[in-house]
Amino acid sequence: MSETEIETAVEPAAAEALHDEDDRLKSSFVDAVIECVEQGDFEGARSLVRPLHPADIADLFELAPQDMRRPIASAIAGLLDGDVLAEMNEWVREELIEALAPHEVAEIATQLDTDDAVAIIEELEEEDQRAVLRAMEPDDRAAIEEALSYPEESAGRLMQRDLIAVPEHWTVGHVLDYLRKNEDLTTDFWEIYVVDHAHHPIGTCKLSWVMRTPRAIGISDVMQREQTLIPVDMDQEEVALRFQKYALISAAVTDPSGRLVGMITVDDIVHIIQEEAGEDILKLSGAGDGDINEPILETVKVRLSWLVVNLGTAVLAASVVGLFQGTISGLVVLAVLMPIVSGMGGNAGTQTMAVAVRALALNQLTSSNTARMILREFRIAIANGLCLGALIGIAVYLIYGNRDLGIVICLAMIINNIIAGLAGILVPVSLDKAGADPAVSSAVFVTTATDVMGFFSFLGLATLWGLHG
Amino acid sequence: MSETEIETAVEPAAAEALHDEDDRLKSSFVDAVIECVEQGDFEGARSLVRPLHPADIADLFELAPQDMRRPIASAIAGLLDGDVLAEMNEWVREELIEALAPHEVAEIATQLDTDDAVAIIEELEEEDQRAVLRAMEPDDRAAIEEALSYPEESAGRLMQRDLIAVPEHWTVGHVLDYLRKNEDLTTDFWEIYVVDHAHHPIGTCKLSWVMRTPRAIGISDVMQREQTLIPVDMDQEEVALRFQKYALISAAVTDPSGRLVGMITVDDIVHIIQEEAGEDILKLSGAGDGDINEPILETVKVRLSWLVVNLGTAVLAASVVGLFQGTISGLVVLAVLMPIVSGMGGNAGTQTMAVAVRALALNQLTSSNTARMILREFRIAIANGLCLGALIGIAVYLIYGNRDLGIVICLAMIINNIIAGLAGILVPVSLDKAGADPAVSSAVFVTTATDVMGFFSFLGLATLWGLHG
């Protein structure tokens, strides 16, 4: 957010009427804008869009059909500024930016804080990046280029360079005068950093403390010395967890020599927490980043490659069934019942896996308690297996009047539940230990284990037991 | 967070050494504390724990084995304060609080902001709640009782009552003097609310703006009139989305008559965003709230009830196979191949469902774009179905040398992928429209559809085609 929002004054009542109960723009409003644009009434479209918050203008583009997005952009020209782009879904933004000339992108990026500008520029093709950077002022360019030199998704990309740092010998009065007299300082800060002569942060001061302290008191007597510093190369997911754990509003970012180089504020972190916490469900299902604005070919490619891997494991599981064709042809009802055993194992394994993936993502599963958690899942698996095995065993006995078939399916169910529980926790934990993302690949291994072992235990036991029609 | 953290001063270097790379306490540290407690060296335990941040003391309890938690609590007595409890996992906290007398709980709750105190008290049994409230000071009791009168998970439970509200005719100088002279005001605020004579909020002012403005300027000239107000009965998930959408740091909470009754700050929202975004994966798998600290019986109950529902749907799908026993006994390889068709449908359906559930949770799927998204998923399903159908069809033909079998499995795969895509989006969207939580129950319907239709299309086509050995 830059300062532009200060100028936007909307009557809350009017704003309310534009939104549905989900706080998104009503489709009637979106349609009204589209109608203006289609009829060439650009002034009409602008007067509808002008009172909106940047986040709502961004929504407008996301909610409009794809082929209307560029016409809307041309119609409302000046209103599509950096704040709107910063709030926009990345795919929709990419689509719009591709239509702009480099100097237009450069102009928009210049209005933004470094972090928001970087978010826009880092997504461009390398050639377009260079063209945009060439069109920028040298100062802005240097700041963006430095940010781009840090790894993707690192603190260095997230941080903004504009912050308030004051020397430790200043008083509160010095700080207030400094803030009032220097008009070009940022207005977007919540804490003040106190630094030593080498520009190392030695304390942080909430603005509320500064305001409640008489002018003559030294800033170093007000500041909090215990600080949570963020190394510039820290991964954004770790940054987000640290913000959450210590309930931070902003945090100083330091380079490897400990110098203060930037600041991250919680409003940039909230998006990351949302994304990182929500993306596990998409990764586990192999739906890529699951964005509904992603180009459809991209989506098919991502999903299909996952499905092909799963096709391989399905064929593997089927080949286990193939080993027992003789047993099945002797008693066809085995083919009827076998998907129950494998499917229930899959369900139980998915439960344990979801819990494990979540606990790993939240750093709740650590070396101190992994053994305890494996034992916990083992006990849960036995309890579930006994209940489900008894249920299906009795049902099969009653339906088919075959006691041995009931016993076999009961035992297979117990075995496959235990396999499911163990695979459900051991697979994600092992992947995590090996440095892989457990959310991405756990599901393949767990469902392969429960399918293969489901078929093998049921059909194997049936063969051993000598079941036949 | 209350003020106590200001007093805790830790050398960053020392603090660093206690943490593993996930920013959690090292197990060697946890073990050291446990050893002190077991040997009766309570002073040793206290000296280890004293320098820790409240969030880390909370971690210590979560990481320690269950039977050591109460002994540790007694050993470090005074260090287990309200801030630590506020940071603690709810199950671990409940366990500890049950062991405390009501007056001890009351004393701890009194140290906290209303929102944190409510979070602790709302989890107690009703009888214990009354005992704790009786032991509190009348003022604190009234605040907590009022908060408890709002629905669970509503803004009223989340908000804190301590905030800074000033009349619109004040100058910046008035505000600064007011803050400096009134020592009992909260220090935990990031924005100042400007109210009219009826205590309706008419503007918000970031502290940085106040600090950068000369004393003589009126506060109403600095404030931002466009505000995002939170109704006191709004659901916490909606509150979180609003904070995220408008990048809020704090927001005023108003009662139905529009009066300012409280404030919510982003540090309390970050936990909710994390929870709400992460819990969909647990809900979809039927793992309840999936907390690794939940008592094991509770966990078995939640997971088992979900598995029993799934057992019902698995039996339903099996009964479809049962219809085709004649066809299978004529060509047993159909039993070998049928789990591939149903399983792949399940995988494809889960992808679409994960995307839809996520988009619904983020309010990205609205009335403006639902029809477009259904069409999008339909096209993706056809593309995936054609590719997977061709792959498996050719493979089956090559392996079994049976052209008709290859054609049948190819067609069944295409049909089931389309069923999967449509069910994957229509089920969550319909549940959402009907007011149900799509994350909780979508999976049962989608996998039932893909299992039933997978078996039905494959075995049905095989029967129609007259396939036999």
Side-chain angles (χ1 to χ4, degrees):
Chain A
M1 295 273 118
S2 82
E3 289 99 293
T4 55
E5 62 181 306
I6 306 173
E7 298 148 29
T8 340
V10 185
E11 287 303 302
E16 209 60 49
L18 300 176
H19 292 90
D20 62 15
E21 70 287 357
D22 284 341
D23 214 22
R24 302 277 290 194
L25 290 176
K26 284 192 180 148
S27 64
S28 57
F29 178 85
V30 177
D31 294 342
V33 174
I34 291 175
E35 206 180 302
C36 284
V37 173
E38 281 178 336
Q39 295 179 347
D41 178 11
F42 291 1
E43 194 36 59
R46 268 198 291 275
S47 67
L48 282 171
V49 173
R50 195 170 295 117
L52 297 182
H53 186 284
D56 285 319
I57 304 184
D59 267 11
L60 171 66
F61 284 96
E62 291 171 29
L63 295 175
Q66 207 177 350
D67 57 348
M68 282 310 298
R69 288 176 189 158
R70 285 194 197 178
I72 296 176
S74 329
I76 66 164
L79 298 170
L80 178 60
D81 61 10
D83 284 326
V84 174
L85 283 176
E87 294 284 339
M88 202 176 280
N89 175 281
E90 56 176 311
W91 293 105
V92 178
R93 178 166 67 202
E94 204 175 301
E95 203 182 294
L96 285 178
I97 286 182
E98 273 171 15
L100 296 174
H103 75 269
E104 291 174 299
V105 180
E107 200 174 305
I108 287 173
T110 310
Q111 304 159 12
L112 294 170
D113 288 335
T114 338
D115 55 335
D116 290 331
V118 168
I120 289 175
I121 293 174
E122 69 183 355
E123 281 163 27
L124 301 176
E125 307 280 319
E126 221 174 300
E127 199 179 320
D128 296 336
Q129 271 188 16
R130 273 199 297 272
V132 170
L133 286 169
R134 264 198 306 271
M136 295 181 94
E137 301 290 320
D139 274 10
D140 293 326
R141 178 167 55 208
I144 306 263
E145 280 177 339
E146 199 202 319
L148 289 175
S149 73
Y150 297 112
E152 274 184 50
E153 310 213 321
S154 71
R157 295 259 177 135
L158 278 180
M159 72 187 182
Q160 58 193 69
R161 253 139 264 269
D162 289 334
L163 52 80
I164 309 293
V166 301
E168 52 185 318
H169 60 80
W170 277 15
T171 63
V172 167
H174 281 137
V175 173
L176 287 174
D177 293 342
Y178 168 71
L179 290 175
R180 287 198 189 131
K181 281 181 196 145
N182 290 275
E183 292 207 345
D184 55 336
L185 292 176
T186 177
T187 52
D188 195 15
F189 62 99
W190 308 96
E191 289 174 310
I192 287 172
Y193 302 104
V194 182
V195 291
D196 65 13
H197 58 280
H199 215 69
H200 293 164
I202 57 166
T204 306
C205 201
K206 287 189 190 182
L207 295 189
S208 61
W209 303 341
V210 179
M211 295 180 78
R212 303 205 44 192
T213 307
R215 288 180 65 94
I217 306 285
I219 192 78
S220 60
D221 294 328
V222 189
M223 71 186 188
Q224 181 183 358
R225 283 176 196 278
E226 181 196 34
Q227 329 178 64
T228 305
L229 301 176
I230 307 286
V232 74
D233 57 355
M234 183 179 250
D235 183 80
Q236 64 175 20
E237 188 166 1
E238 290 303 316
V239 176
L241 287 172
R242 208 168 263 205
F243 262 76
Q244 192 193 353
K245 177 167 178 183
Y246 297 115
L248 304 177
I249 297 293
S250 76
V253 180
T254 53
D255 69 12
S257 71
R259 285 168 50 89
L260 176 65
V261 291
M263 159 178 89
I264 297 178
T265 51
V266 69
D267 53 320
D268 295 315
I269 291 299
V270 162
H271 290 269
I272 293 169
I273 293 178
Q274 172 71 267
E275 269 170 39
E276 300 271 353
E279 73 186 6
D280 282 351
I281 188 178
L282 300 166
K283 286 186 194 162
L284 261 189
S285 72
D289 71 358
D291 193 304
I292 59 171
N293 294 297
E294 194 178 37
I296 196 163
L297 259 179
E298 201 80 17
T299 305
V300 170
K301 229 165 63 186
V302 171
R303 294 205 201 164
L304 193 57
S305 58
W306 170 260
L307 291 173
V308 168
V309 172
N310 278 273
L311 184 59
T313 71
V315 168
L316 178 68
S319 70
V320 173
V321 180
L323 299 176
F324 298 99
Q325 289 188 60
T327 311
I328 292 174
S329 66
L331 185 62
V332 177
V333 74
L334 292 175
V336 175
L337 297 175
M338 70 184 192
I340 298 179
V341 180
S342 63
M344 291 308 294
N347 289 330
T350 303
Q351 288 183 332
T352 304
M353 179 173 67
V355 171
V357 165
R358 214 46 219 127
L360 286 167
L362 295 176
N363 290 343
Q364 283 180 344
L365 207 54
T366 75
S367 51
S368 319
N369 59 4
T370 298
R372 201 156 77 227
M373 287 307 135
I374 294 172
L375 185 64
R376 182 172 190 272
E377 289 300 333
F378 183 65
R379 290 167 60 197
I380 294 172
I382 289 181
N384 285 345
L386 287 173
C387 293
L388 295 170
L391 259 179
I392 191 71
I394 292 169
V396 163
Y397 170 59
L398 292 178
I399 294 170
Y400 297 98
N402 183 334
R403 201 199 50 179
D404 290 349
L405 186 59
I407 294 174
V408 164
I409 197 168
C410 170
L411 290 178
M413 197 73 128
I414 295 171
I415 293 172
N416 207 25
N417 259 279
I418 292 172
I419 298 287
L422 291 179
I425 188 149
L426 291 175
V427 166
V429 165
S430 311
L431 286 169
D432 186 63
K433 276 243 186 303
D437 181 346
V440 172
S441 32
S442 291
V444 180
F445 293 106
V446 173
T447 55
T448 304
T450 54
D451 276 356
V452 166
M453 286 307 299
F455 294 138
F456 189 77
S457 60
F458 180 57
L459 298 175
L461 281 172
T463 309
L464 278 180
W465 214 274
L467 289 185
H468 51 77
Chain B
M1 294 274 119
S2 82
E3 290 97 294
T4 54
E5 62 179 306
I6 306 173
E7 298 148 28
T8 342
V10 186
E11 288 302 302
E16 211 60 50
L18 300 175
H19 292 90
D20 62 15
E21 71 288 358
D22 284 341
D23 213 23
R24 301 277 292 195
L25 292 176
K26 284 193 180 146
S27 64
S28 57
F29 179 86
V30 178
D31 294 342
V33 175
I34 291 174
E35 205 179 304
C36 284
V37 173
E38 281 177 336
Q39 294 177 350
D41 177 11
F42 291 1
E43 195 35 60
R46 268 197 291 273
S47 68
L48 281 171
V49 173
R50 195 170 293 119
L52 296 182
H53 187 283
D56 285 318
I57 303 184
D59 268 9
L60 171 66
F61 284 96
E62 291 171 30
L63 296 175
Q66 206 178 352
D67 57 348
M68 282 310 297
R69 288 176 189 159
R70 286 193 197 178
I72 296 176
S74 328
I76 66 164
L79 297 170
L80 178 59
D81 62 9
D83 283 325
V84 175
L85 283 176
E87 294 283 339
M88 200 176 283
N89 174 282
E90 55 175 310
W91 294 103
V92 178
R93 178 166 67 202
E94 203 177 300
E95 203 182 295
L96 284 178
I97 285 184
E98 274 171 14
L100 296 174
H103 75 269
E104 291 174 299
V105 180
E107 201 174 303
I108 287 172
T110 310
Q111 304 159 12
L112 295 170
D113 289 333
T114 338
D115 56 333
D116 289 333
V118 168
I120 290 175
I121 292 174
E122 70 183 355
E123 281 164 26
L124 300 176
E125 307 280 321
E126 221 175 301
E127 199 180 321
D128 295 336
Q129 272 189 14
R130 273 199 297 274
V132 170
L133 286 169
R134 263 198 306 272
M136 295 182 94
E137 300 291 319
D139 274 8
D140 292 326
R141 180 167 53 206
I144 307 264
E145 280 176 339
E146 200 202 318
L148 289 174
S149 74
Y150 296 112
E152 272 183 52
E153 310 212 323
S154 72
R157 295 258 177 136
L158 277 179
M159 71 186 182
Q160 58 193 68
R161 252 138 264 268
D162 290 333
L163 53 81
I164 309 293
V166 301
E168 52 185 319
H169 60 80
W170 277 16
T171 63
V172 167
H174 280 137
V175 173
L176 287 174
D177 294 341
Y178 168 71
L179 290 174
R180 288 200 188 128
K181 282 181 196 149
N182 290 276
E183 293 205 344
D184 55 336
L185 293 177
T186 177
T187 51
D188 194 14
F189 63 100
W190 308 96
E191 288 172 312
I192 287 173
Y193 301 104
V194 182
V195 290
D196 64 13
H197 58 279
H199 215 68
H200 294 166
I202 57 167
T204 306
C205 201
K206 287 189 190 182
L207 294 189
S208 61
W209 301 342
V210 179
M211 294 180 80
R212 302 205 44 194
T213 308
R215 290 180 63 95
I217 306 283
I219 192 80
S220 60
D221 294 327
V222 190
M223 71 184 187
Q224 181 183 357
R225 283 175 196 276
E226 182 196 32
Q227 329 178 64
T228 304
L229 302 175
I230 307 285
V232 73
D233 56 354
M234 182 178 249
D235 183 79
Q236 64 176 19
E237 189 167 0
E238 290 302 315
V239 176
L241 286 172
R242 207 167 264 207
F243 262 76
Q244 192 193 354
K245 176 167 178 184
Y246 297 114
L248 305 177
I249 297 294
S250 74
V253 180
T254 52
D255 68 14
S257 71
R259 284 168 51 88
L260 176 65
V261 292
M263 161 179 86
I264 296 178
T265 51
V266 69
D267 53 320
D268 296 315
I269 292 299
V270 162
H271 289 269
I272 292 170
I273 293 177
Q274 171 72 266
E275 270 170 38
E276 301 271 353
E279 72 185 7
D280 282 351
I281 187 179
L282 300 166
K283 285 186 194 162
L284 261 189
S285 73
D289 71 359
D291 194 303
I292 60 173
N293 294 297
E294 192 180 38
I296 195 163
L297 259 179
E298 200 80 17
T299 306
V300 170
K301 230 164 62 187
V302 171
R303 293 205 202 163
L304 194 56
S305 57
W306 170 260
L307 291 173
V308 169
V309 172
N310 277 274
L311 184 59
T313 71
V315 168
L316 178 68
S319 69
V320 172
V321 180
L323 300 176
F324 298 98
Q325 289 189 60
T327 311
I328 293 174
S329 66
L331 185 64
V332 177
V333 75
L334 293 175
V336 175
L337 297 175
M338 70 182 192
I340 298 179
V341 180
S342 64
M344 291 309 294
N347 289 330
T350 303
Q351 288 183 334
T352 304
M353 179 173 67
V355 172
V357 165
R358 212 51 216 124
L360 285 168
L362 295 175
N363 291 343
Q364 284 181 343
L365 207 53
T366 75
S367 50
S368 320
N369 60 3
T370 298
R372 202 157 77 228
M373 287 309 136
I374 294 173
L375 185 65
R376 181 172 190 271
E377 288 300 333
F378 183 65
R379 292 166 60 197
I380 294 172
I382 289 181
N384 286 345
L386 287 173
C387 294
L388 295 169
L391 259 178
I392 192 72
I394 292 169
V396 163
Y397 171 59
L398 293 177
I399 293 169
Y400 297 99
N402 184 334
R403 200 198 53 177
D404 290 349
L405 187 59
I407 294 175
V408 163
I409 197 168
C410 170
L411 290 177
M413 198 72 128
I414 295 171
I415 292 172
N416 207 26
N417 259 279
I418 293 173
I419 298 288
L422 290 179
I425 187 149
L426 291 175
V427 167
V429 165
S430 310
L431 287 169
D432 186 62
K433 276 244 186 303
D437 181 346
V440 172
S441 31
S442 291
V444 180
F445 294 105
V446 173
T447 56
T448 303
T450 54
D451 276 357
V452 166
M453 287 306 300
F455 294 138
F456 189 78
S457 60
F458 180 57
L459 298 175
L461 282 172
T463 308
L464 280 180
W465 215 274
L467 288 185
H468 50 77

